[in-house]
Each structure stands twice: as structure tokens, then as C-alpha cells.
């Protein structure tokens, strides 16, 4: 499934039509030209919502840098959680199949594994992903710090130019 993150939305359309397209996932290779930024429904695997940011006509260089950083940050978050959640589902399915096949699984309601067995699996999964999660957290902290700094600069500049 193509994502909004890897492809820009390019055609002019009304806000209502753009939101319907975001909700349906249609025309994902197009950029929406609207008056206001929009947030779409979360991706079914990464659970990260795509963000369509307005590209103002009189956008200043610092504002452009902030907008592009925001979009890049959202893309990195989407890519990380997409890969992480796909790996989780794959390993969970393998764990479940292995435990049910071996016959020593403690079955819960509906013939599935008990919450205690899933808790043990989840703990092991997080321990195995500790390095990747730590790296992601460091990168996220750097991203959000840069985003905060750029936002501060943009808003101070707007305040100074507004006062003139």
C-alpha cells in the first residue's frame, strides 16, 4: 500500500474533497492545495497520521525550513513505527503458532494464548528491540528539539514584524 509520506499530494481541490481523499486513501500521489493544514486518518500499521501542511504563498525561508522539518520528522516516525509494528506482528504470529503447536501453551478465552504468555513475549520483544528503541528515542529528541527551536525562531520573527 502506497503511503502519503513517500509521495506528495499535488492537485488543487476543495478542503472537503481533500479530507474525503485523506480518509479514503485515494489519490495518494497528489498534493492537496488547501487553505489550512490537515491531519489524515492513522496508517493501519504504523498508527501515524499523515499531515498535509499548507505551503503559504509568502512563506519565509525559516517558515519553509520549519514546515519541511515537520514533514521529515513525520516521515521518520512513520517509517520507524511501520517497520517496528510489522516486525512485532510477524514475531507475535510466529510465537503464537510455535506455542500452540508445541501443546504446552496456557490457553485463554477463545483458544488463544493467555495474557501472561503474551506479556512474557512482549517483554522479550522489547528487550530484543532495546537498541533500536533507544536510537529512535534519541533521534526523536533531537528532532523535537530542532522543531521547537525553529518554531521559536519563526514565532519571534512574526512577533517582531507584527509590532512594526
Amino acid at each position: 500500500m502506497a503511503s502519503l509520506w513517500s509521495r506528495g499530494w499535488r492537485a488543487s481541490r476543495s478542503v472537503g474533497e481533500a479530507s474525503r481523499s485523506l480518509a479514503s486513501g485515494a489519490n495518494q500521489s497528489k498534493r492537496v492545495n488547501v487553505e489550512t493544514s490537515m491531519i489524515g486518518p492513522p496508517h493501519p500499521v504504523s498508527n501515524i497520521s499523515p499531515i498535509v501542511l499548507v505551503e503559504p504563498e509568502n512563506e519565509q525561508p525559516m517558515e519553509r525550513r520549519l514546515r519541511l522539518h515537520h514533514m521529515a520528522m513525520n516521515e521518520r516516525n512513520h517509517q520507524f513505527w511501520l517497520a517496528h509494528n510489522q516486525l512485532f506482528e510477524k514475531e507475535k504470529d510466529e510465537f503464537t503458532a510455535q506455542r500452540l503447536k508445541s501443546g504446552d501453551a496456557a490457553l485463554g478465552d477463545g483458544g488463544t494464548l493467555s495474557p501472561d504468555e503474551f506479556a512474557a513475549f512482549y517483554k522479550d520483544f522489547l528487550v530484543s528491540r532495546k537498541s533500536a528503541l533507544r536510537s529512535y528515542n534519541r533521534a526523536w529528541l533531537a528532532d523535537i528539539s530542532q522543531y521547537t527551536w525553529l518554531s521559536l525562531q519563526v514565532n519571534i520573527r512574526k512577533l517582531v514584524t507584527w509590532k512594526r
Side-chain angles (χ1 to χ4, degrees):
M1 177 172 156
S3 74
L4 295 174
W5 295 268
S6 58
R7 301 178 184 186
W9 281 49
R10 277 263 188 258
S12 293
R13 46 179 67 188
S14 71
V15 173
E17 186 180 346
S19 359
R20 284 190 298 280
S21 291
L22 272 174
S24 69
N27 298 320
Q28 292 181 352
S29 63
K30 297 187 177 178
R31 172 167 238 136
V32 179
N33 185 11
V34 295
E35 298 86 35
T36 183
S37 296
M38 298 185 310
I39 299 176
H43 186 274
V45 179
S46 74
N47 292 318
I48 301 292
S49 296
I51 300 173
V52 177
L53 297 173
V54 172
E55 193 171 331
E57 289 180 24
N58 58 349
E59 184 176 47
Q60 299 298 311
M62 189 61 68
E63 292 171 321
R64 176 177 170 74
R65 199 167 148 208
L66 174 64
R67 181 177 52 80
L68 294 176
H69 181 73
H70 190 172
M71 291 167 49
M73 192 169 61
N74 200 50
E75 173 65 23
R76 282 188 294 275
N77 288 335
H78 167 70
Q79 292 301 325
F80 175 82
W81 288 109
L82 180 66
H84 176 84
N85 292 347
Q86 285 173 333
L87 181 63
F88 174 79
E89 287 299 323
K90 178 183 170 241
E91 289 188 17
K92 182 182 82 169
D93 292 344
E94 290 170 359
F95 174 79
T96 303
Q98 183 261 334
R99 295 293 290 160
L100 292 174
K101 186 177 179 180
S102 69
D104 60 344
L107 297 180
D109 295 335
T112 61
L113 296 180
S114 72
D116 291 337
E117 286 200 83
F118 273 121
F121 159 75
Y122 190 60
K123 179 185 176 208
D124 292 342
F125 177 76
L126 290 178
V127 166
S128 72
R129 299 276 300 155
K130 185 177 183 178
S131 175
L133 290 166
R134 184 174 286 140
S135 295
Y136 169 78
N137 284 340
R138 284 186 185 128
W140 180 84
L141 185 58
D143 271 348
I144 205 68
S145 297
Q146 178 70 17
Y147 182 79
T148 303
W149 176 244
L150 289 171
S151 294
L152 180 64
Q153 289 177 317
V154 165
N155 286 310
I156 287 173
R157 183 179 182 99
K158 283 181 179 179
L159 182 64
V160 167
T161 57
W162 179 71
K163 289 280 188 179
R164 287 183 190 176

